[in-house]
Structure formats: structure tokens, C-alpha cells
Amino acid sequence: MKGLIHLYCGEGKGKTTAAMGLALRAAGAGKRVVVVQFLKDGTSAELEALRGTAGVEVVPQTRTFGFSWTLSPEERAEAKRYYTGLLAAAEEKSGGCDLLVMDEAVGAVAAGFIDEARLLAFLADKPEGLEVVLTGRDPSQALVDRADYVTEMRKIKHPFDRGIPARRGVEY
């Protein structure tokens, strides 16, 4: 079966939730899944569940950098090295799995932490049967064009707008 590329984007809640739901569905079908998160600290609750799920490998987060707009040039350079290394790990593991989830890879491209040309080259040359999920806000037209599925999450209303902070087990 030919593997396709999914892009979950938009301003609304649900991009990561949809990606992790697909990871769980694939694992339940006996598929091998690799999850790599960019721009996150590795403590989201869904990762705990996925780490305990047969057939799922979560690539560990060893660094966090905070918001990209707060970083000094030196911190930005270090973040770029780190996230480029995560992309390399994803590329390396892609041959041994059926589904590769690259959560917030779109955001990492937008922040300048991973090279879009490299990501697009990987997508063009990925193993034939590999299904890939990318998430994040504001994808470039090149990423939209490359994807087979594009789903936009659109915020109509969100509790954060009323001052309700993110809640563990719901937003993270």
C-alpha cells in the first residue's frame, strides 16, 4: 500500500490530538509507529500513553528552548542544530516504521529551525509505504502542495480567550 502524507494545520485545537489519534489507530492495526515532536518539551500526556503502546516509539526530547521569538541568535542557532538532529532521527527511523508522526514540524520550519527544502526532499524520497503526518500552523504552499491530505483546524471559540489556561489531559 502506498503511504500518503497528512498535514494537520490551522489556528484551532486538535492538530496534535488528530495526529496522536492516528498513531493510536495505526498501532491498534499492528503497524509500527514513530512519533517525533518539535517545539515541545516532551511532557504532553499523550506521550505517556503512546510510550506504553506496543509498536509505538516516541523519540525522546532532551532539550526545550521556549518561544522562538524570545531566543538570542546563539540560542536560535543551538535550537536549529537540535531540531535538525531530530529531523535526521526521523529520517533514519522512517525505514523501520509504517507511520511517522512529525508533530510541529511545520512550526519548526516556520521558526527557521529545520530547513523546508530538506523536509520536502525527505517527503519526496520517503519509503513507498510510509505514511507521514505533519502538524503545525501556517504551512507553506509547498508543504500544502506536497501533502495528500490537508486538514485545517479552525478556532471558533476557545477557553483560553476567557483566561482559562491549558489543562493537562485536555490541551496537553
Side-chain angles (χ1 to χ4, degrees):
M1 179 171 68
K2 179 174 174 46
L4 301 177
I5 299 168
H6 307 241
L7 175 59
Y8 302 147
C9 60
E11 298 297 315
K13 179 188 178 326
K15 298 176 289 292
T16 296
T17 304
M20 299 310 165
L22 184 56
L24 186 61
R25 175 179 284 164
K31 298 194 179 291
R32 297 160 299 159
V33 178
V34 172
V35 176
V36 180
Q37 284 191 317
F38 299 84
L39 308 182
K40 295 186 176 178
D41 65 5
T43 62
S44 250
E46 71 272 6
L47 297 180
E48 293 307 313
L50 289 172
R51 284 183 188 109
T53 301
V56 177
E57 177 185 356
V58 177
V59 175
Q61 285 283 350
T62 60
R63 297 279 314 269
T64 185
F65 295 91
F67 295 111
S68 61
W69 60 87
T70 67
L71 302 181
S72 70
E74 296 79 18
E75 291 168 324
R76 287 188 66 76
E78 179 57 30
K80 183 170 184 164
R81 282 190 293 277
Y82 176 75
Y83 291 124
T84 297
L86 274 182
L87 178 57
E91 291 168 342
E92 182 180 312
K93 292 177 180 297
S94 68
C97 67
D98 302 299
L99 172 66
L100 173 62
V101 175
M102 293 195 289
D103 188 33
E104 283 299 337
V106 174
V109 166
F113 295 147
I114 60 175
D115 182 64
E116 183 177 52
R118 179 173 175 174
L119 178 59
L120 287 166
F122 165 71
L123 294 172
D125 295 333
K126 71 176 187 56
E128 178 71 19
L130 179 66
E131 204 83 8
V132 177
V133 176
L134 306 169
T135 73
R137 295 172 183 232
D138 301 319
S140 69
Q141 190 60 51
L143 285 171
V144 169
D145 291 346
R146 186 66 191 94
D148 298 292
Y149 298 86
V150 178
T151 302
E152 181 179 12
M153 311 300 184
R154 186 170 65 95
K155 181 183 87 158
I156 307 272
K157 185 177 183 179
H158 195 289
F160 185 78
D161 298 334
R162 296 189 335 238
I164 299 172
R167 298 163 297 147
R168 183 159 172 78
V170 178
E171 281 86 22
Y172 70 96

